[in-house]
Amino acid sequence: MKIHHIDDDFADKLCQLERRPTDLSRYWLLTQTADEVLDYRDAVQWYTGCRQNIISGGDHSFVDYPHWLAQIWAFANQGPTH
């Protein structure tokens, strides 16, 4: 088993691999404002121009996920819109 050490240098290298979404139709941001781990505003900014649903409240587990599942499935099955 290989153990990876995550330090600032590793985090910097990961950041260099990040790419902005290019085909905005392929992304849908579903986020909740009370996520205690991630700041939803960062995601809203990162995915500007993409379909977005920002739900008030919730938490990191994405409260009420089953409610969204049919819509998520439909979105995933529509394929790219070119």
Side-chain angles (χ1 to χ4, degrees):
M1 179 167 83
K2 187 173 184 177
I3 297 174
H4 294 279
H5 179 71
I6 298 175
D7 57 12
D8 289 340
D9 184 54
F10 182 76
D12 290 340
K13 289 177 183 175
L14 283 178
C15 287
Q16 291 172 11
L17 297 174
E18 281 185 320
R19 299 291 179 259
R20 292 267 180 202
T22 55
D23 182 354
L24 302 181
S25 71
R26 297 185 68 175
Y27 295 84
W28 177 18
L29 173 65
L30 285 164
T31 190
Q32 296 183 326
T33 61
D35 187 322
E36 66 279 10
V37 177
L38 303 171
D39 188 333
Y40 79 95
R41 294 169 292 197
D42 292 337
V44 168
Q45 182 180 4
W46 183 264
Y47 291 102
T48 297
C50 300
R51 178 178 174 181
Q52 296 188 4
N53 286 85
I54 298 106
I55 299 132
S56 183
D59 62 33
H60 192 67
S61 72
F62 200 85
V63 173
D64 207 22
Y65 171 75
H67 167 80
W68 291 93
L69 194 52
Q71 293 174 70
I72 293 167
W73 186 252
F75 180 78
N77 282 309
Q78 74 183 4
T81 54
H82 295 290

